[in-house]
Structures are given as structure tokens and as C-alpha cells.
Amino acid sequence: MRRSSAALLLVLATLGMSRANDPLPVPADPAAGEAVIVVHGLARSAKAMQKLADAMKAAGYVVVNLDYPSTTATIEVLATTHLAPAVQDAVASGATRIHFVTHSMGGIVVRQYLATNTLPQLGRVVMLGPPNHGSELVDRLGRFAPFAWVNGPAGKQLGTDAGSLPNRLGPVRYSVGIIAGTRSFNPVYSAMIDGPDDGKVSVASARLDGMTDIIELWENHTFMMRSDEVIRQSLHFLREEQFDRTSPPA
């Protein structure tokens, strides 16, 4: 990143700033001091987001690839005890803008944080396969003990009923770009989900009142964050506040 302050680099490095090994050819010229906080989904880790984080760093952003114990607490607690400190450190380090790129439940964690906190430095938010209206899989499977063992308290909050956490958060009033997948590797799961889906989340659920843009890509929920096209589109939204529809996916 050009002309970034030494303090910003030093502090954010302690929060998991990634190293670019083989950056994708996606040129960008963000303003000095812009940070991206990358937030993984349920029952995953920062390793799942590493390729995306590397590409963000190669494009010139200071990157925090947040690792948090997604299955150990509710979404409210995770947003307060893990996301909030990362944001506070970025603010204290002098970040001029703070963007978020999230996968799956990571988008709900960010929505929860932004619903209860004011962030003047807020930039743009990219959500990959977010269950913004919950998932029918939680409705069907959430009552079984193995589901709770694997997914923890946060997983049980992701149902589709009106009282579920995603549905109680309401519309967004900041810049959000959503990438919804339409490729499923699990016909059993897809049979439980209404309409086009990525194997876990429907396109309809990914949509969000107040969103800035949405694009549907032939991607699967589990692996979409590693897709070159998903990464390219994420970077395009961070730069342009819209997705790129000028050429077909690579």
C-alpha cells in the first residue's frame, strides 16, 4: 500500500495481516490508509479466507484476516469480543477507511456490529453467500443435537423465522455488495432450500433491503471465497461501489 503510515502497518500486522504469495492480476489504487477486515463464516477459520486476503493485500489494502471462534458463542458476543477489538485497533492506528469482506455468517457478525456501533471510517462491505434472512437448513436441522455440537450457539441463530437474528437486524444504511452463489454440490440440502441456492443459502436469503448491488455467480457456498472471479468482483466493488458486468466471468 502506498504511503501507509508505519503505525498502521505495525499494529494491523499483529492482527493477522496476510502476505501475498501469488496475487491475482487485479490492479487497484486505493487511497493511503485504507484497511480491509476479512471475516470468515461459521465453523471456519482465517485459513479459509487466506487467498482472498492475499489478493486484497496485493491490491494495496492493509488487510486484517480475522480469526475468531465462531462456534463458541452467540453472534452478539462474537461481534463484541472479537470483531469490535479489531475495528478499534484499526481506528486507533489511523485507518482512513475501513472496509469489510465477509463470508456466510461473517456477514451477519458485521451487520450485528454495525447495528450497535457507529464507525465514521466505514467504507464498503462485501458479503459472500450471506444468510441475510437465515437458512432453511437451520430450520430443518437445528433441533438435532449434532447440529449444535458442530455449529454452536451462533449457528442456531440463523433460522428463517421473523425472530431470527438476521431478520431482526433490519435494512442496511451503508454500502453493501452481495455475491450470491447458484451452484450446489449437495442435492439433499438444496431440496430443503427454496429457489436457486449455493448449497446452503438461497439467492433470496442473500438479498438485503438497502443493499447497493448484488450479483449471482455460479459458485458453491463452501468454496466461493477462493474463486478468482469472486475475488475479482469483491475488489471491483471496493473500488467502484458496484460489480463488474462488462465482461463474462473468467
Side-chain angles (χ1 to χ4, degrees):
M1 183 182 64
R2 297 182 304 174
R3 300 188 301 276
S4 297
S5 68
L8 177 64
L9 290 172
L10 177 62
V11 174
L12 291 182
T14 67
L15 297 172
M17 186 173 68
S18 62
R19 294 183 178 180
N21 297 317
D22 186 21
L24 296 172
V26 280
D29 187 23
E34 294 198 22
V36 177
I37 299 178
V38 177
V39 188
H40 65 78
L42 181 64
R44 306 298 289 273
S45 73
K47 291 181 180 179
M49 307 294 282
Q50 194 62 53
K51 179 179 177 179
L52 183 148
D54 287 344
M56 298 286 159
K57 182 174 183 290
Y61 296 96
V62 172
V63 177
V64 179
N65 190 3
L66 182 68
D67 202 24
Y68 68 103
S70 61
T71 63
T72 63
T74 65
I75 291 170
E76 296 95 329
V77 169
L78 295 170
T80 298
T81 60
H82 294 279
L83 181 57
V87 174
Q88 290 162 5
D89 284 340
V91 171
S93 301
T96 58
R97 298 183 80 193
I98 300 173
H99 308 285
F100 298 89
V101 179
T102 72
H103 175 239
S104 194
M105 191 188 79
I108 311 305
V109 175
V110 169
R111 284 180 63 197
Q112 170 64 31
Y113 172 81
L114 293 176
T116 55
N117 293 272
T118 299
L119 181 60
Q121 299 87 347
L122 178 61
R124 294 163 183 165
V125 180
V126 177
M127 298 180 178
L128 315 179
N132 280 320
H133 297 282
S135 172
E136 291 90 342
L137 297 184
V138 178
D139 298 340
R140 299 286 190 91
L141 305 176
R143 65 182 181 273
F144 297 111
F147 181 93
W149 297 338
V150 173
N151 298 292
K156 296 192 71 174
Q157 293 182 287
L158 300 176
T160 64
D161 61 284
S164 73
L165 179 64
N167 284 316
R168 286 190 281 111
L169 287 173
V172 293
R173 293 177 174 82
Y174 43 87
S175 179
V176 175
I178 295 171
I179 299 178
T182 57
R183 185 180 189 183
S184 174
F185 295 151
N186 193 322
V188 176
Y189 280 1
S190 291
M192 302 180 191
I193 301 172
D194 295 332
D197 68 90
D198 62 9
K200 291 188 178 179
V201 176
S202 69
V203 172
S205 179
R207 301 183 68 88
L208 183 58
D209 289 345
M211 64 185 178
T212 307
D213 198 3
I214 184 171
I215 191 169
E216 298 177 24
L217 298 178
W218 180 243
E219 302 290 350
N220 172 262
H221 188 86
T222 303
F223 304 110
M224 66 192 312
M225 77 292 284
R226 299 174 184 167
S227 160
D228 289 353
E229 178 63 10
V230 167
I231 294 171
R232 186 182 75 84
Q233 292 285 358
S234 298
L235 283 164
H236 194 276
F237 187 86
L238 292 184
R239 295 192 303 268
E240 306 294 339
E241 204 172 15
Q242 62 182 1
F243 293 115
D244 181 17
R245 295 177 174 83
T246 61
S247 59

